[in-house]
Amino acid sequence: MFRLIPPTRSLALSSLSLTARRFNSTVAPKPLDGIRVLELGQIIAGPYCGSILGYYGADVIKVEPPKGDPLRTWRHMDKDGQSPWFRSLARNKKSICVDLRTDEGRSLVKRLAQDVDVLIENFKPGTMEKWGLGPDELYQTNPGLIYTRISGYGQTGPYSKRPGFAAVCEGMGGFRYINAFPGEAPVRPNISLGDSLAGMHAALGVLLGLIGRNKLSASSQKTGQVVDVAIYESVLNMMESIIPEYDRLGQIRQPSGSTVTGVVPTNTYPCKDGQYVIIGGNGDSIYKRLMTAIGREDLVGPDYETNTHRVKAQKLIDGAIGEWTSTKTPDEVAELLEKVSVPTGKIYSAKDIVEDEHINARGMIETVTVGTPEEGRGWELKIPGMSPVLHTTPGSTKWAGPDLGQHTAEVLEESLGLTKDEIESLKSQGVIQ
């Protein structure tokens, strides 16, 4: 079981480089070694939480329905009919295929839940209770369970029973209102941002729950607790000052396109050949260096001394910067501004990310092998590493997302003690695959 170890007062640091630590992480313990996780989530939010935990050492068993997690067949398919996205998000997990529509399937999952530290689910509220797998049922046999629930609106409140996808919850959380150009329709980023934020919040909640379990162990028989993550709240947590500004000043933050309200200059500026560059020159001393570098000392002085002054002249300042950048490529802008310590950078595509020397030096592009040549696969797949980078107990990717039901027999034998005959019987009944 998970326990906290008091910090030592001194620690001899290894001379291994950061990159070496990440790629040789099997030689070091991982912070979540020994933590057992049962993942019943599908698509993104729940599985992303499980992926984070597994990356840092947790043993994650992923329970999938007979047709598998729908993410297996989302977007682009690889040669084996599976999504490379799934291979990334399901890394380090063991897949068992169980039909939860059957009494026998639910019984198997309930037995597995008796001996894990964490359960993750992101079904519509009430679904797990309907299956007899709600927290009240599971705490009877596993009082230390960290029962992690992700839903659109949380487990309580008047909206809790509503179906909630990230696209809708990003609206309620305030993000879609401010993410637009003035006078135009709100813009959705081309990712499921709300789901990923919810997965990250759930992983944080799991860790807090595990720490809380240790604090409760001396005074309470039930040391586990429910971690209740709402997608809209995960988005709302990112909304910075919009609530206090509305409360105290009556200000409703409005869409601002490629800028940030009340911070000048920070924007996306045009370059040659239809490209763009991002410049963040909003620090007072940084601003002076920026304007000097682009030859606009006329925009430096008492009238532009602080951010408050510059907000009043935003159009003039952004226009001057854009006029200068439009004569250069993003790389030329970056080279010139880096010399005077002005934060700047090009806008990366997937190709740029994969090929960037810094990203690779940090170990943030990992390569895994899918299948084996003997079975007609065995190709390599690049996937993103995970952050944060821990220098002494780093995470790592041990294997790509597994095939559907790849570990069903192994898990049922090792965790529940089922015999091969019992497993074959369950297969013949369609309970497992």
Side-chain angles (χ1 to χ4, degrees):
M1 301 294 282
F2 177 83
R3 63 190 181 89
L4 293 178
I5 300 175
T8 55
R9 293 192 177 275
S10 64
L11 180 66
L13 296 178
S14 167
S15 61
L16 288 175
S17 69
L18 181 66
T19 305
R21 288 182 185 279
R22 183 181 285 276
F23 286 107
N24 292 286
S25 56
T26 54
V27 303
K30 292 182 173 57
L32 296 181
D33 280 347
I35 298 298
R36 296 153 296 177
V37 179
L38 190 63
E39 179 193 299
L40 279 79
Q42 296 186 26
I43 312 293
I44 302 173
Y48 186 46
C49 174
S51 189
I52 294 171
L53 300 177
Y55 192 80
Y56 294 101
D59 182 11
V60 182
I61 298 172
K62 179 175 179 61
V63 181
E64 298 190 67
K67 293 184 179 180
D69 187 324
L71 195 70
R72 286 183 176 274
T73 54
W74 272 28
R75 293 210 176 96
H76 303 288
M77 300 297 103
D78 217 322
K79 296 176 183 177
D80 59 354
Q82 299 289 294
S83 165
W85 185 10
F86 178 84
R87 299 295 187 191
S88 175
L89 196 61
R91 70 182 77 182
N92 297 341
K93 300 177 185 179
K94 295 180 179 179
S95 170
I96 67 171
C97 185
V98 180
D99 191 348
L100 291 173
R101 296 170 300 180
T102 66
D103 292 338
E104 296 86 350
R106 293 190 292 271
S107 177
L108 289 173
V109 169
K110 190 171 186 178
R111 290 174 62 187
L112 288 170
Q114 292 177 5
D115 194 36
V116 298
D117 300 281
V118 179
L119 182 146
I120 304 167
E121 66 95 359
N122 63 331
F123 297 109
K124 184 179 177 180
T127 301
M128 292 291 282
E129 284 80 0
K130 180 182 67 176
W131 286 340
L133 298 171
D136 290 342
E137 291 86 358
L138 298 189
Y139 280 132
Q140 295 176 20
T141 54
N142 188 355
L145 180 65
I146 307 303
Y147 197 113
T148 309
R149 320 193 76 170
I150 306 173
S151 61
Y153 305 97
Q155 302 296 314
T156 62
Y159 300 167
S160 61
K161 301 302 181 184
R162 290 181 179 180
F165 281 173
V168 178
C169 295
E170 288 168 12
M172 184 174 175
F175 173 68
R176 294 292 185 91
Y177 188 90
I178 61 174
N179 194 50
F181 282 86
E184 297 183 11
V187 176
R188 174 176 184 167
N190 199 12
I191 54 173
S192 295
L193 182 64
D195 279 327
S196 295
L197 286 173
M200 292 179 68
H201 279 80
L204 173 62
V206 166
L207 300 181
L208 293 174
L210 291 171
I211 294 171
R213 189 170 72 177
N214 282 271
K215 294 183 180 295
L216 292 170
S217 60
S219 59
S220 174
Q221 184 176 2
K222 177 178 172 292
T223 56
Q225 61 181 299
V226 172
V227 175
D228 183 357
V229 177
I231 298 174
Y232 90 90
E233 291 166 0
S234 301
V235 174
L236 181 59
N237 275 354
M238 303 295 107
M239 291 299 101
E240 300 177 355
S241 62
I242 67 169
I243 301 302
E245 286 173 356
Y246 169 71
D247 180 55
R248 293 297 299 156
L249 305 171
Q251 293 290 321
I252 298 178
R253 179 84 63 89
Q254 296 298 313
S256 61
S258 59
T259 69
V260 175
T261 300
V263 181
V264 177
T266 178
N267 207 338
T268 302
Y269 299 96
C271 293
K272 282 183 177 179
D273 304 322
Q275 300 183 77
Y276 293 88
V277 68
I278 299 172
I279 299 174
N282 46 286
D284 293 343
S285 61
I286 295 173
Y287 172 75
K288 294 174 183 177
R289 295 197 299 272
L290 168 61
M291 303 315 287
T292 301
I294 70 172
R296 293 303 303 267
E297 291 89 343
D298 58 305
L299 297 181
V300 175
D303 291 340
Y304 308 95
E305 190 68 25
T306 68
N307 184 67
T308 302
H309 292 110
R310 295 191 294 274
V311 167
K312 299 174 183 177
Q314 180 173 3
K315 187 174 181 180
L316 176 62
I317 292 170
D318 276 343
I321 298 171
E323 182 179 359
W324 178 76
T325 59
S326 63
T327 65
K328 296 171 174 55
T329 67
D331 287 333
E332 290 170 342
V333 171
E335 182 180 358
L336 289 167
L337 294 187
E338 283 173 11
K339 291 178 181 178
V340 292
S341 297
V342 174
T344 183
K346 60 189 292 184
I347 298 172
Y348 278 31
S349 68
K351 182 177 184 294
D352 296 323
I353 293 169
V354 169
E355 295 177 354
D356 185 86
E357 63 176 346
H358 179 82
I359 293 172
N360 280 278
R362 292 277 295 171
M364 289 304 295
I365 302 297
E366 300 184 349
T367 301
V368 293
T369 302
V370 177
T372 65
E374 291 75 17
E375 60 185 11
R377 296 187 295 179
W379 55 76
E380 292 188 337
L381 174 68
K382 292 185 185 300
I383 60 176
M386 286 196 173
S387 187
V389 175
L390 302 181
H391 286 213
T392 305
T393 58
S396 67
T397 300
K398 294 177 288 185
W399 62 80
D403 293 338
L404 177 61
Q406 183 175 330
H407 304 94
T408 302
E410 172 190 327
V411 169
L412 295 183
E413 286 179 12
E414 295 181 357
S415 298
L416 300 184
L418 296 187
T419 66
K420 287 181 171 55
D421 287 343
E422 289 172 323
I423 291 172
E424 286 303 318
S425 176
L426 289 169
K427 285 184 178 179
S428 65
Q429 299 173 55
V431 177
I432 63 173
Q433 289 183 25

